[in-house]
Amino acid sequence: MSKIKMTTPLVEMDGDEMTRIIWQQIKAIVLDPFIDLKTEYFDLGLPNRDATDDQVTKDAAIRTRELGVAVKCATITPNAQRMDEYKLKKLWPSPNATIRAYLDGTVFRAPIMVSCIKPLVSSWEKPITIARHAYGDIYGGREQLVPADTRAELVLTGPDGQESRTLLHTFSGAGVVMGMHNTDASIISFARSCMKHALDVGQDLWFAAKDTISKTYDHRFKDLFAEVFAAEFADAFQQAGITYFYTLIDDAVARVMRSPGGMIWACKNYDGDVMSDMLASACGSLAMMTSVLVAPDGSVEYEAAHGTVTRHYYRHLKGEKTSTNPMATLLAWTGALKKRAELDQLPELAAFTDRLEAAALATIEAGVVTGDLKNLVQLDKVNVASTEDFLRAIAARLA
Ligand code: NAP
Ligand code: MG
């Protein structure tokens, strides 16, 4: 059988621990036998980030913008304990944060749905994708404890030194205060990424905030979304038969619970943080959640939503065969290859990614699963397989 050809390489970012092992297995078992895989390889494993003073992460981000499509393995974000474990030169920043900052992108997360795992919300038939604005608000907030008998004000100082002041509160007793911000540029990028992604996947886009209470701050988000939509996307949405609408966050939550799913839900930073945990738990497992970073220029980086699965890795190092779920990492690969196929007009490659995804879902639906899904799947007969055997079952189905 001749292998499927690619024209432009993918940016391939390798990672750490258990997911680094799974990465090799996915390539060896379900990709290499079928595709003449073309990638530019960047080793973002922690030892190489340390050896290159993290230059490799920056290079990978730059190349992603140039080539347009990347696939990334989960990576360790070092903390003090990792510093000792890996004898690091310093505490390198999170690669995801570095890449996101460079590409200025928005992260979209969606559950991988299979018919034998019922979401806790019974109306959800199709995956709901959450787009979280990953800049500012309370995550970039500054806070202070306030002593009694204090006046708290917001002070803006212009380039000429001119001050404008807004009274927050006159405290008679003690209290707390917080200042937070966002920028038009970041909100516009967020809106653009969401609208690009909605067109890409052909799904409606919802955006919600609390502009009834936050008449300036949240209202700015609402206005900028409306402006970007009208100026750049309204026609394309109409042609694609999809809609954009804004509603209050309370209303969005109520509607989401009653909806069949299948839409993109754009959330402000805090809402996205909270709602993506809600979505992941309601759909079963973090191991069944995909993640894609979409830059306003259209560059994309696909990855799994989970981490490096350290606990399984330590068992793997002791020689145990682990049953770690490779689905989210596998779908990161198919997502990236599908995007490459679309950009380079490679119908054979596109069809292959569809078949591979279908084979993976069908394998689970046939009762061959990894350990994390054992108690989630509603099937009479369940066969818990090691990661490797699970991937071999997919490959067998595919062949
Ligand atoms: P994690 O790797 O997501 O794993 C937490 C637990 O969730 C695992 O111990 C496992 O539970 C379960 N789990 C996650 N993915 C699974 C999978 N594919 N199959 C089966 N079970 C899975 O989170 P963590 O342990 O908090 O973080 C480990 C490392 O990952 C950290 O160094 C962190 O910095 C990094 N991290 C990276 C990313 C990223 O690169 N995007 C994201 C998050 C965390 P059981 O042990 O109960 O089976
Ligand atoms: Mg959270």
Side-chain angles (χ1 to χ4, degrees):
M1 201 178 73
S2 73
K3 291 192 193 181
I4 295 164
K5 295 270 182 295
M6 297 177 62
T7 44
T8 318
L10 282 179
V11 173
E12 173 186 354
M13 306 184 199
D14 207 345
D16 289 299
E17 299 194 312
M18 203 60 226
T19 38
R20 188 178 177 99
I21 309 287
I22 292 176
W23 197 257
Q24 288 312 320
Q25 292 175 334
I26 288 174
K27 285 170 59 177
I29 300 171
V30 296
L31 298 178
D32 284 337
F34 307 96
I35 310 176
D36 219 345
L37 207 56
K38 243 184 159 170
T39 74
E40 278 191 24
Y41 181 85
F42 294 83
D43 183 1
L44 267 58
L46 188 50
N48 194 47
R49 275 182 276 147
D50 197 50
T52 61
D53 292 341
D54 209 25
Q55 188 58 41
V56 66
T57 309
K58 293 169 197 147
D59 291 345
I62 291 167
R63 205 60 187 132
T64 299
R65 181 173 280 174
E66 288 165 357
L67 290 178
V69 186
V71 56
K72 178 180 171 290
C73 180
T75 47
I76 293 168
T77 297
N79 54 17
Q81 182 242 321
R82 299 293 197 172
M83 186 105 174
D84 296 338
E85 185 183 354
Y86 284 84
K87 312 240 171 331
L88 300 177
K89 291 183 220 162
K90 65 182 255 198
L91 275 184
W92 303 109
S94 147
N96 289 50
T98 302
I99 295 164
R100 194 155 61 214
Y102 180 75
L103 293 176
D104 185 21
T106 298
V107 175
F108 297 82
R109 293 203 158 167
I112 302 164
M113 287 175 77
V114 282
S115 62
C116 55
I117 301 177
K118 297 272 175 264
L120 295 176
V121 179
S122 56
S123 65
W124 292 352
E125 286 156 17
K126 285 173 273 175
I128 293 169
T129 301
I130 289 194
R132 172 181 171 190
H133 184 211
Y135 179 83
D137 300 352
I138 62 167
Y139 302 84
R142 294 288 175 273
E143 333 177 293
Q144 250 177 291
L145 290 172
V146 181
D149 301 317
T150 302
R151 189 175 68 239
E153 295 175 323
L154 276 178
V155 183
L156 304 186
T157 311
D160 54 359
Q162 191 80 31
E163 285 183 356
S164 89
R165 288 169 179 262
T166 311
L167 178 67
L168 282 177
H169 190 64
T170 308
F171 288 83
S172 50
V176 281
V177 72
M178 173 167 70
M180 61 180 199
H181 79 282
N182 224 296
T183 66
D184 284 5
S186 176
I187 299 165
I188 288 169
S189 286
F190 175 48
R192 230 173 241 151
S193 295
C194 289
M195 291 169 197
K196 276 222 166 76
H197 193 60
L199 279 175
D200 231 18
V201 295
Q203 292 183 344
D204 290 343
L205 175 65
W206 300 14
F207 176 54
K210 191 75 178 176
D211 64 297
T212 46
I213 300 296
S214 174
K215 290 181 173 26
T216 305
Y217 196 106
D218 278 21
H219 214 284
R220 189 80 190 139
F221 279 78
K222 179 184 175 180
D223 287 346
L224 290 173
F225 262 71
E227 281 170 27
V228 171
F229 182 70
E232 302 172 31
F233 292 94
D235 294 343
F237 267 53
Q238 196 171 18
Q239 273 164 28
I242 58 174
T243 57
Y244 163 67
F245 89 102
Y246 172 85
T247 185
L248 274 180
I249 183 73
D250 329 42
D251 180 49
V253 169
R255 282 178 191 239
V256 162
M257 287 298 162
R258 285 185 265 108
S259 82
M263 82 299 250
I264 297 167
W265 181 10
C267 291
K268 288 183 60 207
N269 212 344
Y270 172 82
D271 298 337
D273 182 348
V274 176
M275 292 304 161
S276 56
D277 285 345
M278 187 269 295
L279 183 71
S281 345
C283 290
S285 166
L286 192 61
M288 293 287 277
M289 195 84 172
T290 62
S291 184
V292 56
L293 175 75
V294 179
D297 70 2
S299 314
V300 285
E301 181 241 28
Y302 290 82
E303 63 175 323
H306 59 76
T308 59
V309 210
T310 311
R311 279 206 292 269
H312 294 210
Y313 181 59
Y314 291 154
R315 295 213 298 272
H316 165 85
L317 289 181
K318 283 189 205 143
E320 255 180 69
K321 253 199 171 185
T322 70
S323 180
T324 314
N325 191 336
M327 283 297 284
T329 306
L330 176 63
L331 265 70
W333 272 99
T334 56
L337 288 166
K338 209 188 287 278
K339 185 73 191 173
R340 202 62 274 170
E342 179 200 315
L343 293 174
D344 297 347
Q345 297 178 1
L346 303 170
E348 242 196 311
L349 183 62
F352 171 76
T353 61
D354 288 341
R355 283 205 308 279
L356 176 49
E357 286 176 2
L361 298 178
T363 300
I364 295 176
E365 280 159 1
V368 181
V369 300
T370 46
D372 56 309
L373 300 187
K374 189 176 74 179
N375 296 321
L376 284 175
V377 291
Q378 296 172 1
L379 291 170
D380 294 335
K381 217 171 134 255
V382 177
N383 176 1
V384 175
S386 66
T387 309
E388 201 179 322
D389 289 344
F390 176 69
L391 287 168
R392 287 196 194 291
I394 297 174
R397 209 168 261 280
L398 198 56

